[in-house]
Amino acid sequence: MKKALITGITGQDGSYLSELLLEKGYEVYGIMRRKSVVDYGNVEHIKDKINFIYADMTDVISLINAMKISQADEVYNLAAQSFVATSWEQPLATADIDALGVTNMLEAIRTVKPDARFYQASTSEMFGLVQEIPQKETTPFYPRSPYGVAKLYGHWITKNYRESYNLYACSGILFNHESERRGKEFVTRKITDAVAKIKLGKLDCLELGNLDSKRDWGHSMDYVKAMWLMLQQDEPDDYVIATNETRTVREFVDAAFNCAGIEIEWNGSGINEFGKDKATGKTIVKVNPKFFRPAEVDILIGDPAKAENKLGWRREISFNELVERMVKNDIYLLSNGLEK
Ligand code: NAP
Ligand code: GDD
């Protein structure tokens, strides 16, 4: 039985990856931060099948301990301060966790079990002010947020430990991926949660920032399969994981309201843009500059050809299915008093 250690197990990707590895017969270990109220986050439903270890990415001793306890064959480093907007409010904590935390994990592996295979959760945010469209493994990086800068360190230190110490270490450069388990501050879930609330008469209007920014959105369930595939190859390497489609935030809003039978009519422009419910004439979407970022990533669209050719990875869940699943789930949670 193979053993896997997942950092960030309580998050969106940690939960889908845990399900995938349990299905494959792995013994799954996960590191968890101590909180005042015990909270298993997205793995509450499978908590009895997981071996939890209290640890923190900023505490190398705790990661060495996690490696000693788990004796993991595969380590998936998904833990991060993952919300870009917060990285301007907490740039140092973001760097400690998302940059130095990666070195801490790599050192723990090198010290305890250097033959363990390592996956680093790199990100399309590293492309930032994009130097090429679409972005691929060879596209130069230009991060636009403290989060992107910290993740770029994590990306390079992973490559460096591979080259310096011959560790089997890979980075997945994953483009935005969402799901029913996405945190509610991220734009997709913020939208689908608001659509459910507006549909059920519990909210009047959704306030958003930059409606023009473009993202390449896939489903987390598809993306965790790529993480696993990366650790099953003969040689470690880095891969872009994306859908090769890009849409504006405004298009996501349209698609989400459509799933609830509401058609939006857009009016105005810039900070005065708003969306009306075509049927009722009520304004249900507005721009609020408070959600603008100090520096924006205008467009992301990835080319997953390398992963498709070398890993045999394929995206299975389409954009429309992703949006529909998220909207249906939020309507279900709200209708049944289950939303958090
Ligand atoms: P997420 O839902 O925000 O989960 C982040 C996880 O990291 C949570 O389990 C969180 O634990 C944990 N964590 C945060 N700080 C920690 C610390 N100091 N020590 C230990 N654990 C800590 O993120 P996600 O969407 O699943 O993303 C997974 C990884 O992929 C992240 O590294 C993210 O940056 C990266 N990524 C995500 C995307 C995407 O679109 N989703 C794209 C590219 C890359 P708590 O429950 O204690 O907060
Ligand atoms: N969160 C949020 N809230 N974003 C908004 C809003 C709003 O009200 N209005 C517009 N946006 C825009 C943001 O400015 C950004 O351009 C886009 O929507 C997506 O924002 P997020 O959903 O917060 O995601 P992100 O692209 O910044 O970061 C996510 O993807 C990265 C991969 O590219 C996160 O999952 C990162 O962890 C991940 O690395």
Side-chain angles (χ1 to χ4, degrees), residues 82 123-124 147 176 182 185 187 190 209 213 215 293 296:
S82 70
T123 163
S124 47
Y147 168 82
N176 297 52
R182 188 59 143 153
E185 70 273 59
V187 78
K190 179 175 170 180
S213 92
R215 289 293 181 275
R293 293 177 179 179
E296 181 60 281

Side-chain angles (χ1 to χ4, degrees), residues 7-15 31-33 35 39-42 55-58 77-83 97-98 119-125 147 151 172-178 181-183 185-186 220 223 227:
T7 76
I9 197 159
T10 56
Q12 170 187 260
D13 291 1
S15 69
I31 77 156
M32 222 174 120
R33 292 194 282 187
K35 291 178 191 146
D39 181 4
Y40 293 97
N42 284 303
D56 193 295
M57 296 311 293
T58 60
N77 184 32
L78 310 185
Q81 189 304 94
S82 70
F83 190 43
I97 301 165
D98 299 9
Y119 172 85
Q120 168 58 16
S122 285
T123 163
S124 47
E125 266 288 310
Y147 168 82
K151 280 283 184 176
I173 307 175
L174 271 52
F175 282 62
N176 297 52
H177 47 281
E178 319 294 313
R181 299 179 191 166
R182 188 59 143 153
E185 70 273 59
F186 297 96
S220 171
Y223 287 43
M227 298 175 186

Side-chain angles (χ1 to χ4, degrees), residues 61-123:
I61 302 296
S62 71
L63 298 177
I64 289 174
N65 191 40
M67 280 307 293
K68 282 186 179 162
I69 294 171
S70 66
Q71 289 297 317
D73 303 298
E74 295 173 10
V75 177
Y76 295 87
N77 184 32
L78 310 185
Q81 189 304 94
S82 70
F83 190 43
V84 172
T86 294
S87 75
W88 279 280
E89 289 159 357
Q90 298 182 14
L92 298 180
T94 302
D96 279 346
I97 301 165
D98 299 9
L100 295 183
V102 186
T103 311
N104 287 339
M105 192 69 246
L106 286 163
E107 277 300 319
I109 291 173
R110 206 165 72 84
T111 310
V112 180
K113 200 165 179 290
D115 63 337
R117 295 186 167 204
F118 178 73
Y119 172 85
Q120 168 58 16
S122 285
T123 163

Side-chain angles (χ1 to χ4, degrees), residues 10 32-41 44 47 52 54 340:
T10 56
M32 222 174 120
R33 292 194 282 187
R34 192 260 157 196
K35 291 178 191 146
S36 57
V37 177
V38 178
D39 181 4
Y40 293 97
E44 173 71 41
K47 65 175 187 296
F52 291 99
Y54 278 115
K340 283 191 190 163

